[in-house]
C-alpha cells in the first residue's frame, strides 16, 4: 500500500546497490505517475520527470514502458501481500481481529 507522502521510500529486498536504488526510484516514480495521471496518460517522460532522471535510463532497466508498468504493479502487489495479506492470514483463527486489521 502506498503512503500518502510523496517522499515515502521503498526498499528492494536484498538490494542495496546503486543500480537497485535507481530501478526502485523509477518504480516509485511510475507508481506516483499512475496515481497522478492514470494508466492511459502515464508516459516515460512523466515518470522520469518525477524521478528526476533522464529518459534513456528507463531503457537500461526496462525493455519497454509496459515492462516498467508491470514491474511497478508487481512491486505494489508484493507490498500489499507483505503489509496486508500475510498479517491478516496469520489471524485466520481470530476472524474479528483479521477483519479489523484488514479494515485498518
Amino acid at each position: 500500500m502506498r503512503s500518502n507522502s510523496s517522499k515515502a521510500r521503498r526498499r528492494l529486498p536484498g538490494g542495496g546497490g546503486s543500480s537497485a536504488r535507481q530501478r526502485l526510484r523509477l518504480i516509485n516514480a511510475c507508481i506516483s505517475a499512475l496515481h497522478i495521471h492514470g494508466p492511459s496518460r502515464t508516459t516515460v517522460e512523466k515518470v522520469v520527470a518525477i524521478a528526476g532522471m533522464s529518459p534513456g535510463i528507463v531503457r537500461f532497466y526496462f525493455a519497454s514502458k509496459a515492462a516498467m508498468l508491470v514491474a511497478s504493479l508487481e512491486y505494489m502487489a508484493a507490498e500489499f501481500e507483505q503489509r496486508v495479506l500475510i498479517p491478516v492470514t496469520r489471524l485466520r483463527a481470530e476472524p474479528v481481529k483479521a477483519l479489523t486489521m484488514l479494515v485498518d
Side-chain angles (χ1 to χ4, degrees):
M1 303 218 337
R2 188 133 163 95
S3 169
N4 288 336
S5 170
S6 62
K7 294 184 181 185
R9 298 206 178 232
R10 297 182 174 138
R11 296 179 187 236
L12 289 176
S18 176
S19 180
R21 282 192 304 269
Q22 284 186 329
R23 185 176 189 276
L24 183 57
R25 191 167 153 193
L26 285 169
I27 287 173
N28 281 324
C30 185
I31 292 168
S32 293
L34 288 167
H35 175 74
I36 295 165
H37 304 289
S40 63
R41 292 187 301 147
T42 293
T43 63
V44 169
E45 291 77 19
K46 289 175 182 174
V47 171
V48 295
I50 291 169
M53 301 168 89
S54 67
I57 197 81
V58 173
R59 285 284 186 200
F60 181 77
Y61 293 105
F62 305 103
S64 64
K65 173 189 166 188
M68 181 175 59
L69 292 171
V70 168
S72 298
L73 294 174
E74 287 173 342
Y75 187 87
M76 288 192 321
E79 187 176 24
F80 180 77
E81 180 178 12
Q82 289 296 312
R83 289 189 181 196
V84 178
L85 295 182
I86 291 173
V88 167
T89 302
R90 288 183 186 134
L91 294 172
R92 186 175 300 160
E94 302 175 73
V96 173
K97 284 186 179 180
L99 184 58
T100 301
M101 179 181 276
L102 185 61
V103 170
D104 288 343

